[in-house]
Amino acid sequence: MNLTPSASSVVEGPSAPVTVPRHVAIIMDGNGRWAAKRSLPRVAGHRAGAEAVRRTMQAAVDNGVEVLTLYAFSSENWRRSEDEVSDLKGLMRFYLERELGTLQKEKVRLKLIGEPAAFGNELYDRLQKAVAETASNDRLTLVIALNYGSQAELAAAARALAQGARDGTVDPDTIDIGAIENLLHTRDLPPLDLLIRTSGEVRLSNFLLWQAAYAELHFVDTLWPDFDEAAFAAALAEFSRRQRRFGGR
């Protein structure tokens, strides 16, 4: 991956051409508040959020997006209650089994970033099996960030370069942007074009900090379980209206 402008596709709409970002990432926020507003347990919000994932994945496929990266479980989410973490893991198992057929039908390739092995051998093996079974699909790459933290990702890259310099395999004078990018979890993905966050919060929460350097940011008040095809289309339309300068005039 690099931070140079990506070749976003152009789709002819009914009134004006719409520039479609190659790589869209979403911070899926608001499941708990959605449930609280309805006097439901938090797990009900996570279930509804999983349905929003399904809708958004289909919208990405239908709109010609190449990569959709979803912040599913951050490295900080382990601070949540044991019951909530257990519920989240159970939902991952359930939706993984239910949606595998959809991934295959829609030719969606599953990719994981972060440290998903922390979820235990049984769930990790299921995740790896789904990754392997969808590896040849080429219509959309669905990237799920599990036990992911951008600061930890960057620290790991720095450690690897420092180790290489100590071993004599890396010349410190040659360390540049590309050297760091080649050690990131997203190194085989196109540059991030559009980052969306739901629920009205306006921060990145340790998600794709390096990758978002020149991404367009789009914050919406919609709680994640209510995010739908129309909301995704509105985000793409907003992206298409922006002029991306990448530091230029």
Side-chain angles (χ1 to χ4, degrees):
M1 177 185 164
N2 59 61
L3 299 181
T4 56
S6 61
S8 303
S9 59
V10 176
V11 176
E12 294 293 335
S15 55
V18 175
T19 302
V20 178
R22 295 180 64 197
H23 185 176
V24 178
I26 305 179
I27 300 173
M28 307 178 294
D29 194 18
N31 290 348
R33 274 169 282 170
W34 184 92
K37 285 175 62 176
R38 293 161 175 77
S39 300
L40 296 171
R42 286 181 68 88
V43 68
H46 293 312
R47 289 193 188 107
E51 292 301 320
V53 169
R54 188 182 206 187
R55 293 193 300 269
T56 303
M57 182 191 76
Q58 189 62 56
V61 169
D62 293 343
N63 282 279
V65 172
E66 291 181 31
V67 179
L68 177 66
T69 299
L70 303 177
Y71 203 10
F73 193 97
S74 77
S75 52
E76 289 78 26
N77 285 159
W78 294 107
R79 300 171 188 166
R80 297 184 180 184
S81 71
E82 186 176 339
D83 285 345
E84 185 175 357
V85 171
S86 179
D87 286 339
L88 284 167
K89 290 166 71 174
L91 280 171
M92 273 190 261
R93 291 188 191 92
F94 174 74
Y95 283 99
L96 188 63
E97 292 177 359
R98 194 187 79 167
E99 297 302 327
L100 185 57
T102 301
L103 296 180
Q104 297 288 41
K105 177 183 176 183
E106 297 295 339
K107 299 188 183 304
V108 175
R109 175 174 75 107
L110 180 64
K111 176 180 172 62
L112 306 176
I113 62 173
E115 303 296 336
F119 290 106
N121 291 338
E122 186 266 340
L123 179 53
Y124 181 66
D125 288 346
R126 291 185 184 214
L127 290 166
Q128 290 298 105
K129 181 179 179 183
V131 168
E133 290 183 4
T134 61
S136 62
N137 294 341
D138 57 6
R139 194 173 178 194
L140 171 75
T141 296
L142 177 64
V143 183
I144 306 296
L146 291 171
N147 192 28
Y148 172 86
S150 190
Q151 291 174 330
E153 177 187 30
L154 290 168
R159 283 195 303 273
L161 290 170
Q163 183 66 51
R166 186 171 66 178
D167 295 343
T169 58
V170 174
D171 179 354
D173 290 336
T174 67
I175 296 174
D176 57 9
I177 290 173
I180 296 171
E181 288 178 343
N182 287 336
L183 292 169
L184 300 182
H185 298 177
T186 53
R187 56 188 169 270
D188 61 341
L189 299 175
L192 179 61
D193 294 311
L194 173 64
L195 192 153
I196 302 167
R197 180 169 186 150
T198 61
S199 87
E201 302 294 342
V202 186
R203 57 180 179 272
L204 297 184
S205 295
N206 199 20
F207 183 53
L208 300 180
L209 301 179
W210 176 282
Q211 295 86 343
Y214 283 103
E216 296 296 318
L217 308 182
H218 182 70
F219 299 100
V220 297
D221 292 332
T222 308
L223 299 175
W224 175 246
D226 294 325
F227 196 85
D228 57 15
E229 296 88 342
F232 190 78
L236 297 190
E238 172 63 23
F239 173 85
S240 185
R241 286 192 291 270
R242 297 187 186 179
Q243 294 183 356
R244 306 183 74 192
R245 295 184 174 88
F246 299 92
R249 295 182 62 184

